[in-house]
Amino acid sequence: HSMWCGSRPGETHTTYYATPYGTFPLTVETESVHWKFDERGGMLSLRYRIDLGGQKGKCALRIRAKAKE
């Protein structure tokens, strides 16, 4: 299964994550999405909550990109 985590704040997506120890439900809830891009590059910032079989956590991802010179 694949899932797009960069959704709108407050949206949740649920799928299943298969491991050698079994398959677990995986739910991701988007807390925030911020981006700013122009011809020189930009930044994408995601914050989300994750629930994997009842184990809960928070995650953050920040990506910076710049155009080739």
Side-chain angles (χ1 to χ4, degrees), residues 3 6 11 14 17-18 20-21 26 32 34 36-37 39-40 49-50 53-55 58-63 66 68:
M3 166 170 42
E11 286 186 348
T14 301
Y17 183 65
Y21 306 101
L26 172 64
S32 66
H34 300 285
K36 182 177 182 180
F37 287 94
E39 64 279 348
R40 293 172 291 159
R49 293 183 183 130
I50 189 166
Q55 299 295 310
K58 290 187 175 188
C59 300
L61 174 68
R62 182 175 293 162
I63 299 172
K66 68 178 190 176
K68 282 186 175 181

Side-chain angles (χ1 to χ4, degrees), residues 9-65:
E11 286 186 348
T12 60
H13 298 276
T14 301
T15 190
Y16 292 90
Y17 183 65
T19 74
Y21 306 101
T23 301
F24 301 93
L26 172 64
T27 301
V28 176
E29 178 186 357
T30 304
E31 289 186 337
S32 66
V33 179
H34 300 285
W35 69 91
K36 182 177 182 180
F37 287 94
D38 59 26
E39 64 279 348
R40 293 172 291 159
M43 190 257 321
L44 169 66
S45 177
L46 302 170
R47 296 181 72 78
Y48 54 96
R49 293 183 183 130
I50 189 166
D51 182 333
L52 178 60
Q55 299 295 310
K56 298 180 181 190
K58 290 187 175 188
C59 300
L61 174 68
R62 182 175 293 162
I63 299 172
R64 291 180 185 228

